[in-house]
Amino acid sequence: MSGWLGSLIAMLVAANAFGVAHASAWYDRADSTPRTAAVRSGAVCALVLVGIGLAAAPLLSILDVSTHTFRLGAAAVVGISGAKAMLAPTKPITQVHDTREANLTVATLMLTPAPVLMALAVNSEAGTVTGLVAAATAGVTGVVGLASRRPPERVSEALVRLVGALGIVVGVIVGLDSARSV
Amino acid sequence: MRRTVTWLLVWLFTIAGLRVSLLAPEVCPDVSVTSTHAAAVAAADWIVNNQDGDGKYLYEWDLAIDGPTDAPYNLVRHAGTTMALYQFAAEGKLSYLGPADEGLAWMLDRLVGNDDVAAVAPTPTANAKLGTAALLTVGLVHRRQATGDTTYDTLIRQLGTMMVGQQRPDGSMLNFWDPQTESPVPDKTSLFATGEALWAVALLHNTWPEEGWDEPAWATLTYIATERDEDEDVWPKPWADQWAAYSLHEMATWGLDDEHIDYARSLSAQWGVATRWESQRNGGIDGLVHAPENIAAGQGTWMEGLGMMRQLAQLDDRLADLENDYSDRLACGAGRMIAKQRTGTGQVEVDGGFFVNGTTRVDGQQHVLSGLIFTERLLRERSGERTEETS
């Protein structure tokens, strides 16, 4: 791998860029209960990412896929997810009714293919420590995103598109690096 | 609920899409010293069992017509095939010296040149290719290593003088030598021949270190590492040149510069990716996504390149981090080629051959044979038998 920094960026982008903050429009509502639940489940999702990352070696062995090849697949997914975020950002979720729905919503926002695959790729190639740092950083930023009040929708959407573009760039860089690996 | 279903569908399509494309299983059949050696012998036997009485090899066989194709015979590939037989002989398989010498005699009948230079040309007035001279030289050096016989030392030096005469100031090599003018044909280069010539000249320096063959070798190596791909309009870069890998390994103890090592890293990645991609081509949708299959010669060159890079990594710490990857890809490529090798048909034009799309060409057996030799070395090391070079 060309360096753990690229992977870290990829994790960051993948984990929190594609709609977590943007989609969390319900925080503007007076009821703080869903918000608290969302932050809690965001932390749980971050731990899940860490756990998934730690399972990288046996999982890739079961899949019969080498680490470099897996990284190429993960990069493609990050790039495509980035393109989707850039061209068609997720619509803000303006209402959640209860804690359960908040939990599910956060899980579906944070545990998408891009961050999960990148967590596996980072762990398998750059090692457990880097994987843990990457996943933890992704988790923390995701939770911070969830805890924050949503900025005005235009700003939020522009941010998501920008981060989506960054996801494309990261996907291309990681993909090319993988294609240049033995 | 809708969000959750969408999330599940995204996951389903992502996994399914990846599994039939980028993340299809990489199937690498197990290899052993025994199976690798047997496959190498079978490949070499295909070459010698189909050799004419005058030393010429069967060039290409088509299963569909159960006969040879009308593809024109190629002198460079003849020289390469002879070289591979000498490589095998140098590994201790001395029974292949005789057939290799017959292949050599066929080339000696086509020698052109004068007291100072020698080359091989299809007719006395036709242009001689640099690659033929280079691979003939490499074969003769391997023959010398296998037998200790110095009969051809003068010829080897004449071939070396011809090759160095093809070199331009920037280290690039001209492809043709004109026997009528006894000089290089200007302006025509070859993507293949430059690396072939470099390997040959590097071998000359290692054979006779006091004769100054290293100077032209350095110039051509640096040219290949830094300029050749631009000059030859190669994309993607670098050109996956296994001859350059042989050369780098041959020059490993000369003090390679960082730019040469950087080149080696990017060069070897080409074979790593190619092997990984090929290992995902296993029929069904995988086969469609990863088609078309490279010819056997191409797949053999990946093994040669990886084999040489693995040995280079053992000699140069700057590549040591890649040694395991080289080993894994080499073993994978060998396992797949062994699985594809035709055996047990009782037909000499088929048994031992590596057929792709129903045809096999002599250089398919040549390149895979060389790759299998390197794989056997790897497997012997893994089983505790260190070779002299790496012990």
Side-chain angles (χ1 to χ4, degrees), chain B residues 39-219:
Chain B
V41 168
D45 284 347
W46 186 97
I47 295 169
V48 304
N49 289 339
N50 292 295
Q51 192 175 24
D52 289 346
D54 64 353
K56 190 178 175 184
Y57 305 108
L58 171 61
Y59 188 62
E60 190 171 61
W61 189 263
D62 187 342
L63 290 175
I65 60 172
D66 197 27
T69 69
D70 56 4
Y73 202 69
N74 183 298
L75 263 68
V76 182
R77 294 194 176 112
H78 179 100
T81 302
T82 307
M83 181 278 294
L85 290 177
Y86 281 131
Q87 262 183 328
F88 207 22
E91 292 289 308
K93 300 296 287 182
L94 295 178
S95 61
Y96 293 99
L97 268 178
D101 281 346
E102 289 176 36
L104 169 64
W106 191 87
M107 284 187 280
L108 297 182
D109 285 344
R110 287 158 180 77
L111 276 183
V112 292
N114 53 42
D115 288 345
D116 298 321
V117 297
V120 181
T123 67
T125 55
N127 287 340
K129 280 187 174 176
L130 174 65
T132 315
L135 294 178
L136 170 58
T137 305
V138 173
L140 287 171
V141 172
H142 282 135
R143 184 185 185 281
R144 193 178 191 276
Q145 292 168 350
T147 63
D149 181 8
T150 57
T151 303
Y152 295 108
D153 281 5
T154 301
L155 174 60
I156 294 172
R157 288 189 174 94
Q158 288 171 328
L159 290 163
T161 304
M162 176 267 179
M163 287 185 281
V164 172
Q166 301 294 108
Q167 192 178 51
R168 296 193 287 195
D170 64 356
S172 63
M173 309 283 270
L174 294 166
N175 191 32
F176 296 106
W177 188 81
D178 186 344
Q180 299 186 84
T181 63
E182 296 191 342
S183 60
V185 176
D187 302 329
K188 294 207 182 323
T189 58
S190 157
L191 200 48
F192 299 92
T194 306
E196 293 164 341
L198 172 58
W199 183 25
V201 174
L203 272 167
L204 291 185
H205 177 70
N206 284 343
T207 306
W208 296 297
E210 71 287 355
E211 295 184 8
W213 299 102
D214 55 336
E215 193 178 325
W218 277 124

Side-chain angles (χ1 to χ4, degrees), chain A residues 55-129:
Chain A
L59 187 64
L60 265 60
S61 177
I62 291 168
L63 291 173
D64 270 337
V65 173
S66 63
T67 54
H68 301 317
T69 297
F70 190 85
R71 183 154 49 93
L72 182 62
V77 171
V78 169
I80 291 168
S81 301
K84 197 271 177 191
M86 190 177 79
L87 300 172
T90 308
K91 295 276 184 222
I93 301 161
T94 53
Q95 191 174 23
V96 291
H97 298 95
D98 52 32
T99 300
R100 182 174 170 276
E101 189 178 348
N103 288 338
L104 267 179
T105 302
V106 169
T108 56
L109 287 169
M110 285 190 73
L111 297 180
T112 55
V116 171
L117 293 179
M118 199 50 85
L120 289 165
V122 172
N123 269 272
S124 65
E125 285 233 25
T128 305
V129 174

Side-chain angles (χ1 to χ4, degrees), chain A residues 10-24 26-27 37-50 52 81 90 93 102-119 134-147, chain B residues 3 7 11:
Chain A
M11 276 291 285
L12 284 169
V13 171
N16 72 4
F18 308 139
V20 177
H22 176 62
S24 55
W26 73 84
Y27 298 155
V39 170
R40 194 187 309 125
S41 68
V44 170
C45 287
L47 288 175
V48 169
L49 274 179
V50 171
I52 289 172
S81 301
T90 308
I93 301 161
N103 288 338
L104 267 179
T105 302
V106 169
T108 56
L109 287 169
M110 285 190 73
L111 297 180
T112 55
V116 171
L117 293 179
M118 199 50 85
T137 310
V140 167
T141 52
V143 170
V144 169
L146 287 164
Chain B
R3 169 170 291 279
W7 178 76
W11 263 109

Side-chain angles (χ1 to χ4, degrees), chain B residues 25 277-283 286-287 290-293 336 340:
Chain B
W277 186 253
E278 163 59 25
S279 72
Q280 293 179 304
R281 204 186 52 75
N282 294 298
D286 294 355
H290 294 83
E293 182 180 8
R336 291 186 66 84
K340 292 174 190 172

Side-chain angles (χ1 to χ4, degrees), chain B residues 225 238 257-268 318-319:
Chain B
D257 292 338
D258 285 344
E259 68 182 354
H260 301 138
I261 294 298
D262 290 343
Y263 170 65
R265 290 186 93 89
S266 57
L267 181 62
S268 55
R318 290 169 290 180
L319 291 172

